[in-house]
Every structure is written in C-alpha cells, then in structure tokens.
Amino acid sequence: MSATTQLGPDTGGRFGPYGGRYVPETLMAPLEELEHAFAEASADPAFQHELAALLRDFAGRPTPLQYAARLTERLGGPRIYLKREDLLHTGAHKINNCLGQGLLAVRMGKRRVIAETGAGQHGVATATVAARLGLSCTIYMGTQDMERQRLNVFRMQLLGAEVVGVDAGSRTLKDAINEAMRDWVTHVETTHYLLGSVLGAHPYPLIVREFQRVIGREARQQILAMEGRLPDVLLACVGGGSNAIGLFYEFLNDVTVQMVGVEAGGCGTALGEHAARLAASQGFTGARPGVLQGTYTYVLQNPHGQIATTHSVSAGLDYPAVGPEHAWLAEQGRVEYTAVRDEEAIEAARLLARTEGIIPALEAAHAVAELIQRAPKMRREQVVLLNLSGRGDKDMEILAHSLGR
Ligand SMILES: *Cc1c(COP(=O)(O)O)cnc(C)c1O
C-alpha cells in the first residue's frame, strides 16, 4: 500500500491511464456542458442545500451505522459495523446519485431524463426521482429483462415513466445501453442521460462518485463517534463501483485503512461464468483494458475483443466493465479486489438474515461473504465497516429457491 494514493480524475477525465471520453463527436459538446454545469452546481451553496434537503426528507439520510453485535459474536473476529444504505427510499444507495443528477438536469433546463436498466433497480430509482422533480422519464430495458423483472416494470410505469423494450441482440442491458445512447444523441437539447454508476465517459465517473461520497462522509463521522477511531477494514461490493467508491473515497488518504472491493465470482472462473474484472489473482479469466460505454477500463472480453457475456446471481454486479477509478486504485494497490461465488453470497444473505434480522440485497451479500472469510483471521479489537448497499426484497424469489436446496 502506497502512502500517497493518486486521486483523480485529471482535467481530461483520466484516472491514471483509465477513464477519458471515447464518444462520437456529437456527444462531446453535451458532455462538456454537463461537466461545466456540475462544476458550477458543486460550488453553489443553494444547489448543495437543495440536494441535502432531498436526501434527508425524501430519501431518508443520514442512514444509520449499526454495530452488528450478533454477527460479530458469531464470526468471532473483529467488531463489525454495517452502513445501512438498505434503509433508503427505493431500497439502495442508487437514489443518492439519481437525486443529484435529477437536480442537475433541472439546473441545465432539461425537462426529460433517460436511463437504461438491467434488473430495473436503476430504472426505478430514476423514475422515482423524475416523478419527485416533475421530469418526464424514459427507461430503456431489454425485453428479456422485462420478462424477468415484471414487478420493476410496473413500478416504473406506476411512477409515470415510459418503459421502452429493446428487442435487439441478447435483449438485455448491453442492448438497452445502445438504445439509450441513440436516444440521447437525438434529443440532447432537452434530455439528460442519467447514468447509474461510476461508468461512462468523463464527467460521469466523477459526478456519480461525488454524489455517492455522502456514504463515506457520514460513515467516517459515525465510526469516529462510536469507536473513537478509524476502521481497520472497509468492505463493499463492486458492480460498476458506485457504492464502493462512495464509501472508500473519504478514507483513501488514511494509510491505516485497508479497503476491499468484492466482485461477482459467479459460478466459475472461465469467461462467461463470472463478472470479476479486477480479481484476476484469484484465477478469473477474460478481463483486459478496453473501451466500453465511452470509458477506458477493465472489460471482460474474448481474445478477439468481443464483449463477453457475464454471470452473477445478483443483477447489480452482472456487468462486463468496472469504473475506471477502480481500475486505477487496483493498479496502485490501494484497494484490494476479490470475488465470491453465487452460493457464498446466498449463504451470507441467510446468515445476515438470521443473526441480524436484515435480508440484504444479493449484491451486498457478496461483501458479507467476503467478511465471513476474513473475520476469523482478524483480531477482536479490530474494526470492520461494511457497506450494506441495498435490501433483499427484490431478490426474494432467488433466495426462496435456494431455501429448497
Ligand atoms: C446496483 C446495485 C449495486 C451495484 O452498483 P455499484 O455501482 O457497484 O454500487 C450494488 N448493490 C445494490 C443493492 C444495487 O442495487
């Protein structure tokens, strides 16, 4: 671990060699407009005040930091604290970013937001914020995902969003992304593209990180108040990486704080069986630097550079690329990236449910699974802080199925 972690992005939107802006010429001006609007908003106390009020009154911040007494006792290792993002409105941390970008859209005079969604979680959070702010909303979703996630489709429609089914290709997230991009290029004057994680062309990885940093700011104050010192280890799951960087960023210069990002190990190490982009040391294959969705980062791909299909029991971690800032933190050795398998995550969800009375989202259960492996090797006086990114209501069918085994 280096004592001076290099933070980013630079003015070109680069985190070391990663990040940047790989988009068609037509999107350069709108991305610059967004960068400018974000910089202005960040320096405007009125904007910050309005966002803080929405986070408090609408989303339910601050979220508690909970000492997990029974889980601590059960694992017999460090003192465990859970950052309860699962208690937020719509059930996960995604609302933090959606509120921020929604207000930014209003500020830019754009009365329409669009987004793509896989399992529907980001679509629901976006539709929720659009309703609250009086914006019109279109969500792109693969038709196969729509069949698998009917309830989320109804939620978005009930909230007044138009859900557009995408019938191309594999009829999943990748195809929805392409369609949303096409919409944005065509309607860029009136429309804000509300990206859901620390992915995409500059300035999105920066914007989403800044709107998720509230997690780490709160957690830092809370752990200092409760323990009188910083934690030894931070744990978070990594899909695109927004909840993880939201927690980690506030601690990056604290050299005593170790950080672990947990990816989806799926059902095996071969290409197509997992979504582990940075945990190569555990034998997961197929990740190399490349460009996806406008940014240069680690991408799961076949030897010909074709984007690979991925697998995870949790939809939120099932994505072939990872945020460019995570690629940079991995390369600097500042954050360690590991992966746990589907069954380990499901087992972890059951353990957390029984010991703490919390049914976690399967994404967050990946972080819990990593904790279960690490805790017995740690000392009792050590402190672990785990980001519980979301609640498990959406995963009940999968969890119910696993009970039968
Ligand atoms: C979407 C989601 C994730 C993954 O997204 P990140 O950008 O990596 O945070 C993790 N947990 C939950 C509950 C989610 O809904």
Side-chain angles (χ1 to χ4, degrees):
M1 175 166 44
S2 99
T4 52
T5 305
Q6 289 187 42
L7 305 178
D10 64 19
T11 50
R14 297 252 172 204
F15 302 89
Y18 304 107
R21 192 176 272 169
Y22 296 83
V23 295
E25 194 56 38
T26 42
L27 287 181
M28 290 307 267
L31 286 169
E32 276 161 22
E33 180 196 359
L34 179 62
E35 187 180 359
H36 190 68
F38 177 69
E40 275 188 2
S42 302
D44 179 358
F47 180 90
Q48 297 303 331
H49 184 80
E50 197 177 358
L51 178 57
L54 279 167
L55 287 170
R56 183 187 65 225
D57 304 335
F58 184 63
R61 302 210 75 91
T63 59
L65 184 70
Q66 179 199 338
Y67 174 57
R70 294 211 336 120
L71 185 63
T72 294
E73 189 184 327
R74 169 66 83 91
L75 296 181
R79 297 167 64 77
I80 298 163
Y81 287 83
L82 304 173
K83 181 62 173 159
R84 299 290 308 276
E85 295 295 292
D86 60 309
L87 293 176
L88 287 171
H89 184 37
T90 68
H93 67 291
K94 288 192 169 71
I95 193 91
N96 302 327
N97 167 53
C98 288
L99 280 170
Q101 284 194 51
L103 280 185
L104 210 50
V106 172
R107 192 181 169 94
M108 289 187 292
K110 305 202 172 179
R111 305 301 305 176
R112 177 172 180 259
V113 291
I114 60 170
E116 78 275 346
T117 195
Q121 295 305 114
H122 176 55
V124 169
T126 302
T128 298
V129 166
R132 175 62 185 76
L133 299 180
L135 303 171
S136 88
C137 178
T138 303
I139 304 293
Y140 289 90
M141 193 169 184
T143 48
Q144 190 188 326
D145 287 338
M146 284 176 77
E147 285 156 28
R148 290 191 291 206
Q149 302 288 341
R150 293 183 63 76
L151 269 180
N152 275 341
V153 175
F154 293 144
R155 282 190 185 100
M156 290 182 263
Q157 290 169 338
L158 194 62
L159 289 159
E162 178 195 12
V163 182
V164 177
V166 178
D167 226 349
S170 58
R171 304 187 297 137
T172 59
L173 181 62
K174 274 194 306 201
D175 315 290
I177 290 172
N178 292 338
E179 237 13 74
M181 274 295 184
R182 209 160 296 160
D183 180 321
W184 199 36
V185 171
T186 318
H187 302 107
V188 78
E189 296 294 323
T190 57
T191 300
H192 174 65
Y193 185 3
L194 206 162
L195 218 150
S197 190
V198 283
L199 295 160
H202 181 60
Y204 280 106
L206 168 69
I207 290 180
V208 178
R209 178 190 81 196
E210 293 301 302
F211 287 141
Q212 292 293 0
R213 273 178 65 183
V214 64
I215 302 172
R217 270 199 297 271
E218 286 177 9
R220 190 186 175 94
Q221 281 187 1
Q222 288 167 319
I223 197 73
L224 286 174
M226 293 168 88
E227 281 284 339
R229 67 179 183 92
L230 293 175
D232 297 286
V233 179
L234 303 177
L235 274 169
C237 64
V238 180
S242 69
N243 87 88
I245 200 71
L247 175 66
F248 294 169
Y249 196 80
E250 227 52 36
F251 299 87
L252 281 175
N253 286 321
D254 300 305
V255 291
T256 60
V257 180
Q258 191 188 343
M259 303 180 192
V260 185
V262 188
E263 301 183 295
C267 57
T269 54
L271 194 59
E273 294 178 337
H274 64 88
R277 297 121 324 165
L278 296 173
S281 64
Q282 282 174 263
F284 292 94
T285 56
R288 284 182 283 133
V291 170
L292 185 64
Q293 233 189 329
T295 192
Y296 180 68
T297 185
Y298 270 73
V299 180
L300 287 164
Q301 49 192 307
N302 73 15
H304 308 293
Q306 227 87 42
I307 304 306
T309 52
T310 50
H311 167 80
S312 171
V313 70
S314 73
L317 305 186
D318 196 355
Y319 186 72
V322 66
E325 186 163 15
H326 286 287
W328 181 222
L329 290 170
E331 203 159 290
Q332 295 184 72
R334 180 62 186 99
V335 179
E336 177 187 352
Y337 295 86
T338 63
V340 302
R341 298 164 70 105
D342 287 351
E343 314 93 77
E344 296 174 299
I346 287 171
E347 238 353 272
R350 293 173 61 156
L351 181 69
L352 191 68
R354 284 163 191 221
T355 54
E356 294 293 336
I358 301 168
I359 302 175
L362 283 173
E363 291 85 358
H366 281 69
V368 178
E370 181 65 29
L371 171 66
I372 292 170
Q373 291 181 17
R374 276 173 195 255
K377 299 173 217 150
M378 293 178 64
R379 296 189 311 276
R380 279 180 178 271
E381 67 274 16
Q382 288 186 293
V383 172
V384 174
L385 197 163
L386 184 147
N387 200 23
L388 208 66
S389 56
R391 68 178 83 124
D393 306 32
K394 68 185 179 63
D395 296 319
M396 277 317 298
E397 271 189 50
I398 297 166
L399 286 166
H401 188 71
S402 76
L403 283 176
R405 280 208 308 248

